[in-house]
Amino acid sequence: MVVKPGKIWFFLLCLSLAALSNNMYAAKSNQSIYEDPYDIAAGGASLTRASQEGVLFANPALMPFGNKFFRWFGSQFSIIAAKDSVDFVRSLASGSNTSSSESSSEEEKSAERDEFIDDIFTTPIHFGTATAISFISSHFGVGVVSRFEPDIKGTRFNDTGIPAVRAQADGYGAGVVSYAQKLTRWFSVGATGKYIYKAEPDIQIDFADQSKIDEIRSDPQALVNEVTPGQGFGLDAGALIFLQGRTVDYRLALKADDLGNTKFTKSQDPFRQTFHAGLGLTFHNSIDSLHLSLDFRDVTGAYEESIVMRSYAGAKLILRNYIGIAAGFYQGYPSYGIRLDLVLVKVGLTYYGREMGSFIGDDRRDIYIAYFGFGI
Amino acid sequence: MSKLNYFFGVITLSTLCFSCGGANIGESLETKTPEQQAKEKMNAGDYQGAVDLLEPLAESEPEVYSRLPLLAAAYLAVAGIDLISMLKNQLSAGSGSSVFAQVGSFLPSGYNRSDVDTVKTGVDRLKRIPENLRGSEGDPEYGESALFQLILYEAVYSSMLVNLFIDIDINGDIDLSKLEEITIEDVRNILSSLESAQNNAEGSSATSEAIGETLNEIEATEGADDREKLINYVGSS
């Protein structure tokens, strides 16, 4: 038989395959919509100790415990990229796009197409940015944050056995106001009111739809157009027991996020009410400290995630008040980082592992965050 | 105080070194479902391992249909069918005629009867899913995938079976003596599988028409019975 394929019924059959829903972890679950990169380096365990604007989201009850009335006023910018996506981000920055280059012969075009398809299924694209501006005192805090973090990856066999390309993004903008008060020398409470602008696109692109994949890869921001963003108001409340000693401190934190569920306009899924508990132990002298912490989030299992996905643990070592080294386990995956707190400038690097699949070990990303802050 | 600093350093460095290990420390604590384990095996290239895991469950829990599309995909992968390679070939393809020709270009080289039977087993597993659960109106989790796979695998099965009897001689012509070895039972299986694919593809008119066209062409070919018609159709292609 002379093999002359071509009537593209198979292609059309592929295109007729609609999006399949799967329970994946990328959209907001027990995690906060914004986490300080240094807190992420310490395994994301921030209920008992958080950095800068991270306090407003991690636990506002942390604010009254500190030596200064003014704790932080400034901004921070983060660039986020998965290890595999560095080359891709570089090509975006330089304005080049490997998939759009012109080729003369059919063979070259075919080879390029094959390379493009292989690339989709082997190299995830995960990158983004986060920006925060905040003012935090010992009782009051206000902040504005935004984060956009798209993720595009093909899977040879999805949950039902067929190839799929999944494009999703964490897209949030938020304005928050926090207030906290010590009720006793060792006990504080705090609350954060928040306005959130939320876009969590999560689409499954047919693996045969090369033009769509190319479009999304060339301009991941276009992913937001796949959903209608929603807006909503929410409230978090936290409490902290802080037993301070001469060289050792003990901390116990309890927090409720999204009290009564944070509902959004435009039919976006609500953020579910969750309860968290954290333990902290700090060894310190006058200028150095080591903080060990363990958070267990979503105690009641509102998001129906596994115990590992709700667990965060880590250590933060602060040397001479300006060098920070952190390491931990973020949802079981290793994390580490370093931060320098200079007079007006803060810079740092964080690495952490993140699960993007439907179970632990399914689809891991190794993510790096470089950040730069300016403030006092 | 130097002792305390030393203690700090040891604890932090230990955590750092331990965390640099790479794997998720909680993975061993998680109990993965058989489907999750099978998916892991398949993405690691251990297709037979996925079959060995899911097949006993498909027998012992026949009412759990959700794992059957994954099991069918595992069978096809064992037989050497790779959907991504199929996609690459499809996009590189020129114009063509019959379903056999179109699908034939996607098939792995050097497959044997055992591989064809493996594909048939995959098709049979998909057929265990009740018709009302397949497709966009069926189960929201696996319905569409099940129907997509069923149509495709039925066409793949027919084409593989036909291609088993096709040898090209040094002049580029089909060796008709090899084609004569095809049995009436094989022909029945080929045609019934194509008819089933056509019926299942009713929602996708282009697919249904393409398969229907091939079936009509076979029917219109001269021959005393279906076997002769198919031999003449393939021989004249």
Side-chain angles (χ1 to χ4, degrees), chain A residues 222-283:
Chain A
L223 257 177
V224 175
N225 299 331
E226 300 289 335
V227 294
T228 307
Q231 303 167 56
F233 290 91
L235 182 68
D236 302 341
L240 181 71
I241 293 171
F242 187 177
L243 304 175
Q244 195 162 20
R246 205 167 63 85
T247 57
V248 183
D249 302 339
Y250 302 91
R251 304 179 193 215
L252 170 65
L254 298 169
K255 178 148 187 263
D257 276 350
D258 302 295
L259 286 164
N261 294 341
T262 297
K263 298 177 181 67
F264 292 93
T265 58
K266 311 293 182 188
S267 306
Q268 291 271 321
D269 288 340
F271 287 171
R272 299 175 198 173
Q273 177 175 283
T274 49
F275 298 96
H276 318 302
L279 286 171
L281 181 63
T282 307
F283 302 95

Side-chain angles (χ1 to χ4, degrees), chain A residues 82-309:
Chain A
K83 187 170 69 177
D84 314 84
S85 309
V86 173
D87 287 341
F88 175 79
V89 174
R90 204 177 286 145
S91 73
L92 270 189
S94 65
S96 68
N97 186 341
T98 52
S99 64
S100 62
S101 60
E102 293 294 326
S103 298
S104 52
S105 69
E106 277 302 315
E107 288 76 16
E108 281 176 330
K109 283 179 182 170
S110 177
E112 249 181 35
R113 237 177 351 237
D114 287 358
E115 192 182 336
F116 178 82
I117 292 168
D118 286 337
D119 205 31
I120 291 165
F121 288 97
T122 54
T123 310
I125 291 176
H126 185 117
F127 71 100
T129 58
T131 308
I133 302 172
S134 60
F135 166 82
I136 300 165
S137 72
S138 58
H139 292 286
F140 176 76
V142 58
V144 177
V145 301
S146 73
R147 179 165 76 95
F148 182 66
E149 205 173 331
D151 185 273
I152 305 162
K153 170 83 189 300
T155 309
R156 296 188 79 85
F157 298 97
N158 73 358
D159 290 349
T160 62
I162 58 175
V165 178
R166 190 163 194 245
Q168 58 193 320
D170 290 343
Y172 306 111
V176 296
V177 178
S178 296
Y179 181 78
Q181 183 69 48
K182 268 188 188 177
L183 299 182
T184 70
R185 195 170 55 81
W186 49 269
F187 180 61
S188 69
V189 293
T192 295
K194 54 192 182 183
Y195 161 78
I196 298 172
Y197 182 83
K198 168 197 172 196
E200 291 177 334
D202 186 355
I203 58 170
Q204 189 150 307
I205 309 170
D206 190 276
F207 69 96
D209 193 351
Q210 189 179 351
S211 60
K212 182 72 175 177
I213 294 167
D214 203 11
E215 178 194 329
I216 295 290
R217 283 167 61 104
S218 304
D219 180 18
Q221 189 74 36
L223 257 177
V224 175
N225 299 331
E226 300 289 335
V227 294
T228 307
Q231 303 167 56
F233 290 91
L235 182 68
D236 302 341
L240 181 71
I241 293 171
F242 187 177
L243 304 175
Q244 195 162 20
R246 205 167 63 85
T247 57
V248 183
D249 302 339
Y250 302 91
R251 304 179 193 215
L252 170 65
L254 298 169
K255 178 148 187 263
D257 276 350
D258 302 295
L259 286 164
N261 294 341
T262 297
K263 298 177 181 67
F264 292 93
T265 58
K266 311 293 182 188
S267 306
Q268 291 271 321
D269 288 340
F271 287 171
R272 299 175 198 173
Q273 177 175 283
T274 49
F275 298 96
H276 318 302
L279 286 171
L281 181 63
T282 307
F283 302 95
H284 62 88
N285 56 29
S286 58
I287 50 175
D288 302 327
S289 66
L290 173 67
H291 182 75
L292 306 173
S293 52
L294 172 67
D295 287 3
F296 187 64
R297 300 180 68 87
D298 192 10
V299 174
T300 55
Y303 282 101
E304 297 173 6
E305 293 176 297
S306 68
I307 288 174
V308 177
M309 292 299 290

Side-chain angles (χ1 to χ4, degrees), chain B residues 39-52:
Chain B
K39 188 183 163 193
E40 270 190 336
K41 285 179 184 292
M42 289 172 73
N43 280 311
D46 181 9
Y47 310 126
Q48 188 58 53
V51 168
D52 294 342

Side-chain angles (χ1 to χ4, degrees), chain A residues 34-50:
Chain A
Y34 181 84
E35 294 170 286
D36 184 90
Y38 186 60
D39 295 339
I40 292 175
S46 56
L47 288 170
T48 52
R49 184 167 185 148

Side-chain angles (χ1 to χ4, degrees), chain B:
Chain B
M1 192 53 64
S2 62
K3 281 183 181 173
L4 189 59
N5 284 340
Y6 178 73
F7 173 72
F8 289 172
V10 168
I11 287 190
T12 306
L13 281 174
S14 303
T15 310
L16 196 59
C17 291
F18 191 43
S19 70
C20 288
N24 191 308
I25 56 165
E27 198 168 350
S28 58
L29 303 174
E30 295 266 291
T31 307
K32 288 177 187 164
T33 64
E35 290 82 358
Q36 289 172 340
Q37 292 175 45
K39 188 183 163 193
E40 270 190 336
K41 285 179 184 292
M42 289 172 73
N43 280 311
D46 181 9
Y47 310 126
Q48 188 58 53
V51 168
D52 294 342
L53 193 66
L54 293 179
E55 182 59 43
L57 291 170
E59 296 300 327
S60 62
E61 299 172 339
E63 74 287 354
V64 181
Y65 303 119
S66 58
R67 58 172 68 108
L68 297 178
L70 191 61
L71 175 59
Y75 272 116
L76 269 285
V78 167
I81 304 298
D82 175 12
L83 290 186
I84 293 174
S85 296
M86 291 172 82
L87 171 66
K88 285 181 189 172
N89 287 331
Q90 176 78 48
L91 293 173
S92 304
S95 60
S97 51
S98 73
V99 168
F100 301 134
Q102 293 171 43
V103 176
S105 69
F106 312 143
L107 300 179
S109 56
Y111 65 84
N112 54 33
R113 187 83 195 203
S114 167
D115 294 323
V116 179
D117 291 342
T118 303
V119 171
K120 182 74 168 64
T121 308
V123 170
D124 290 343
R125 295 300 172 269
L126 285 168
K127 283 184 171 173
R128 288 182 184 178
I129 300 172
E131 211 168 316
N132 64 325
L133 294 180
R134 295 185 222 137
S136 56
E137 304 293 315
D139 187 276
E141 293 294 323
Y142 61 82
E144 292 227 44
S145 176
L147 184 62
F148 163 75
Q149 290 188 64
L150 184 57
I151 298 166
L152 182 62
Y153 298 168
E154 283 179 320
V156 165
Y157 169 71
S158 299
S159 301
M160 285 179 85
L161 198 47
V162 166
N163 276 282
L164 273 183
F165 299 96
I166 295 175
D167 266 354
I168 307 292
D169 63 24
I170 52 172
N171 299 318
D173 297 324
I174 291 176
D175 177 359
L176 292 174
S177 61
K178 172 80 172 173
L179 199 52
E180 290 289 340
E181 290 175 16
I182 196 165
T183 66
I184 187 66
E185 192 186 347
D186 288 330
V187 172
R188 280 196 198 115
N189 284 334
I190 290 164
L191 295 180
S192 66
S193 191
L194 273 189
E195 281 163 5
S196 177
Q198 185 196 15
N199 292 335
N200 285 319
E202 270 178 356
S204 169
S205 58
T207 309
S208 180
E209 279 174 23
I211 299 171
E213 202 174 310
T214 298
L215 285 167
N216 290 338
E217 285 170 1
I218 295 169
E219 181 60 32
T221 306
E222 282 186 15
D225 54 20
D226 286 344
R227 181 176 170 276
E228 265 188 39
K229 285 180 179 182
L230 185 67
I231 290 171
N232 291 337
Y233 174 78
V234 173
S236 64
S237 298

